[in-house]
Each structure stands twice: as C-alpha cells, then as structure tokens.
Amino acid sequence: SPIVRASDDDRDAVAAQLNDAQADGRLTAEEHAERLAATWAARTRNELNAITWDLGPSTLVVPQQSDAVHTY
C-alpha cells in the first residue's frame, strides 16, 4: 500500500481508539501508554494502523495504490 502521511486528526482518532480499548479492558495502562507514545510519534497512516491492528476495525483507511504513476 502507498505511504500516506498521518495528520493530526488521524493521530487523534487513534488516540481515541486506544482510550476506548483501555476503558474496555483490552489494553493495560502500560500498553496504553506505550501505544499512545507511538501514536504521537507516528508519521504515516501505516504506522498508526500497526498500533491498533489487534483492536478491531481501524478508523483510518489507507488509500489503495492507483494505476497512475506519479513523478515528483
């Protein structure tokens, strides 16, 4: 999948998902703290998805790579 830079809104959405997971008892306080630190340090949506992969459906959608070729 393509590399897509994470926005502040993306990080906020993951933080909310982590907070819900801790409140539901799916994450310990230590796991929550570690993942939250990784969330604020994440630069791409793929990094954010890796933080929450085991917590159910992600709120982030990484776009599929198109057939178009981009040159910069």
Side-chain angles (χ1 to χ4, degrees):
S1 63
I3 296 174
V4 178
R5 298 288 291 198
S7 69
D8 288 341
D9 286 344
D10 293 336
R11 284 183 279 276
D12 287 342
V14 169
Q17 187 176 3
L18 294 174
N19 292 342
D20 289 346
Q22 185 185 19
D24 291 345
R26 291 181 285 144
L27 290 177
T28 66
E30 182 178 343
E31 289 169 325
H32 178 265
E34 290 172 359
R35 291 185 190 207
L36 202 55
T39 296
W40 300 129
R43 294 181 184 217
T44 68
R45 285 184 172 183
N46 284 344
E47 290 173 331
L48 290 175
N49 285 331
I51 293 167
T52 59
W53 72 270
D54 60 345
L55 299 178
S58 173
T59 56
L60 301 179
V61 176
V62 177
Q64 296 300 312
Q65 191 168 5
S66 70
D67 293 333
V69 175
H70 301 282
T71 56
Y72 298 96

